[in-house]
Amino acid sequence: MKLYALSVVRKDLKSTTLVSAYDLQAFGYFQRSSIKEFMQFTSQILVERTRANERASVKEQEYVCHVFVRSDSLGGVVISDLEYPQRVVFTLLNKVLEDFSKSFSPNVWKTAQPETLSWPACDKYLEDYQNPRNADAMTKVQAELDETKIILHNTIEDILGRGEKLDDLVDKSEGLTLQSKAFYKTARKTNSCCCIQ
């Protein structure tokens, strides 16, 4: 999962990139400037063509361009790989646009020239969100739940592998009534024909 670009763009007849951050280490050194230029161009086109209060994701080969334009004509674009979770991208865009609008008043960003505003938070957001599990609480919880299922599954498999030891424990147990021991043995015999793989 990878984020390549994050841009804040002013929507207009010809959209203007206000601030942007890029992570282009996956590309060859001599390709980076062309790729950056193309990503900036794509971001501006997407914001121009997206209506206010609308979100969109556009797939292009092995990349996805996610765009969100607010009602005040402030737009955000993230370019990611196909695996990056869409929900996390739009959470990021909401945070970025909110933080940007707190840092710069509309009077400033509505008249700013391209790439003239200094906003280091853009680079920080791009860096922090490279791993969606660390950046997004829901993704982190989902990853922990997936891990718990695997651990639980392994534990059950381990217990199934110790059938004879469990039989010995049942026989020696003083905490189980004779009726419970009989039930266990009957269930064990009934299920012995079934093999769990």
Side-chain angles (χ1 to χ4, degrees):
M1 289 183 268
K2 182 77 174 159
L3 295 179
Y4 298 103
L6 169 62
S7 303
V8 177
V9 181
R10 180 179 66 232
K11 180 179 172 66
D12 214 335
L13 292 174
K14 184 167 177 6
S15 294
T16 304
T17 301
L18 300 171
V19 294
S20 57
Y22 299 91
D23 185 346
L24 304 176
Q25 295 174 12
F27 303 100
Y29 179 78
F30 295 107
Q31 297 174 320
R32 291 179 189 168
S33 63
S34 297
I35 290 169
K36 180 179 175 181
E37 193 175 292
F38 182 75
M39 287 182 174
Q40 188 175 40
F41 172 77
T42 303
S43 298
Q44 291 172 336
I45 293 293
L46 285 172
V47 170
E48 284 175 22
R49 307 270 166 100
T50 304
R51 288 180 279 183
N53 292 320
E54 192 171 88
R55 300 171 195 273
S57 294
V58 180
K59 181 183 169 202
E60 180 58 36
Q61 296 176 12
E62 65 266 15
Y63 307 103
V64 182
C65 302
H66 308 274
V67 60
F68 171 51
V69 178
R70 297 186 340 175
S71 59
D72 61 0
S73 297
L74 191 61
V77 178
V78 168
I79 300 175
S80 71
D81 63 9
L82 294 172
E83 296 174 0
Y84 202 93
Q86 185 178 31
R87 186 185 54 75
V88 179
V89 168
F90 287 114
T91 300
L92 168 61
L93 284 173
N94 280 335
K95 286 182 180 181
V96 166
L97 294 177
E98 186 67 30
D99 195 12
F100 182 85
S101 63
K102 286 178 183 175
S103 300
F104 299 100
S105 71
N107 294 339
V108 172
W109 62 262
K110 285 188 176 184
T111 58
Q113 294 300 309
E115 300 280 346
T116 56
L117 299 176
S118 176
W119 195 55
C122 193
D123 292 305
K124 180 100 171 90
Y125 274 118
L126 185 66
E127 182 183 327
D128 289 349
Y129 273 78
Q130 284 300 334
N131 185 344
R133 288 182 182 179
N134 295 340
D136 181 64
M138 287 292 287
T139 305
K140 187 175 184 177
V141 167
Q142 185 61 49
E144 288 172 0
L145 287 173
D146 291 344
E147 196 173 292
T148 302
K149 283 192 277 186
I150 292 168
I151 291 169
L152 180 61
H153 182 67
N154 289 341
T155 304
I156 291 171
E157 284 183 359
D158 290 345
I159 289 173
L160 291 175
R162 291 187 256 162
E164 289 183 46
K165 291 181 183 176
L166 190 57
D167 288 344
D168 293 342
L169 288 174
V170 169
D171 288 338
K172 294 177 185 176
S173 173
E174 294 175 12
L176 292 174
T177 63
L178 289 174
Q179 186 178 2
S180 294
K181 289 179 183 180
F183 173 78
Y184 172 78
K185 288 180 182 180
T186 304
R188 188 91 171 125
K189 285 179 187 175
T190 304
N191 290 335
S192 65
C193 69
C194 302
C195 184
I196 298 175
Q197 293 293 332

